Amino acid sequence: MKQDNNKEIFPIVDEQGNVTGSATRGECHNGSKMLHPVVHLHIFDSQGRIYLQQRPLWKDIQPGKWDTAVGGHVDYGETIEAALIREVREELGVTDVQPCFVLRYVFESEREKELVHVFRAIYDGEIVPSDELDGGRFWSMEEVRATIGKEILTPNFEQEFMRVFGDK
């Protein structure tokens, strides 16, 4: 069975995104609350539906739940933009999306603390989820809202969705 590489090196950052050190994935996800950067991309089609990925059961955080179209960690030494392009290609096989920056915020759970860089894009091309995912599909905004709080979506997606799109 696949599993996350707990030896992967992530940058440790302050709340402005300045790198202050480095740590492994395992150290960042063990409850240490070391702030590390991640990228999220919300993909919409031209009908206004939002694409969600389903997290595989082998993931160390939120296995089996539906989540942001693209979400991934920034590698040590990598820029936010390079991480976003890499993650979109790795997770969805997409190389021609035009992301727009939305916001940056700190997300904290029981296990970790992330500096989240949120982007959005409109994309009607082919999406081919990788074997890092258990698939994905477009959801109507009403369908997402009706699913919030039912343990189907990841809590961080729910919070981010309401923060970014709650009144839309």
Side-chain angles (χ1 to χ4, degrees):
M1 179 164 90
K2 287 186 94 165
Q3 62 182 36
D4 285 320
N5 176 5
N6 282 327
K7 305 286 187 221
E8 206 174 348
I9 304 294
F10 296 157
I12 302 304
V13 297
D14 62 21
E15 291 195 9
Q16 287 70 49
N18 301 306
V19 177
T20 60
S22 65
T24 66
R25 173 190 291 268
E27 291 168 328
C28 289
H29 289 180
N30 69 3
S32 68
K33 306 291 180 101
M34 287 188 266
L35 186 63
H36 57 288
V38 299
V39 292
H40 287 176
L41 175 64
H42 296 281
I43 295 179
F44 292 86
D45 65 13
S46 56
Q47 287 105 41
R49 300 178 304 165
I50 187 168
Y51 187 89
L52 301 183
Q53 62 159 269
Q54 187 167 27
R55 295 176 63 79
L57 295 175
W58 54 262
K59 291 301 276 183
D60 65 345
I61 294 181
Q62 301 295 330
K65 297 214 174 154
W66 290 87
D67 203 359
T68 311
V70 173
H73 290 89
V74 177
D75 291 337
Y76 189 77
E78 186 176 41
T79 66
I80 299 302
E81 294 75 18
L84 183 64
I85 290 165
R86 175 181 52 77
E87 289 290 343
V88 174
R89 184 185 69 247
E90 286 177 4
E91 293 186 1
L92 303 180
V94 173
T95 58
D96 58 343
V97 70
Q98 300 296 317
C100 298
F101 179 75
V102 177
L103 76 124
R104 179 176 68 191
Y105 69 94
V106 173
F107 172 78
E108 188 170 349
S109 71
E110 295 167 7
R111 292 184 57 183
E112 65 176 333
K113 190 173 180 182
E114 298 176 329
L115 184 62
V116 184
H117 298 81
V118 182
F119 296 82
R120 68 178 292 168
I122 296 173
Y123 183 75
D124 286 313
E126 185 178 13
I127 295 176
V128 181
S130 77
D131 62 1
E132 283 186 34
L133 312 178
D134 276 354
R137 67 176 178 88
F138 281 98
W139 298 52
S140 71
M141 298 298 266
E142 297 76 28
E143 188 179 11
V144 172
R145 286 189 183 91
T147 307
I148 289 177
K150 295 186 176 164
E151 302 288 316
I152 294 168
L153 308 169
T154 64
N156 43 334
F157 170 76
E158 290 182 350
Q159 290 174 21
E160 187 170 293
F161 179 87
M162 293 309 293
R163 177 186 297 217
V164 178
F165 310 110
D167 57 356
K168 294 183 172 83

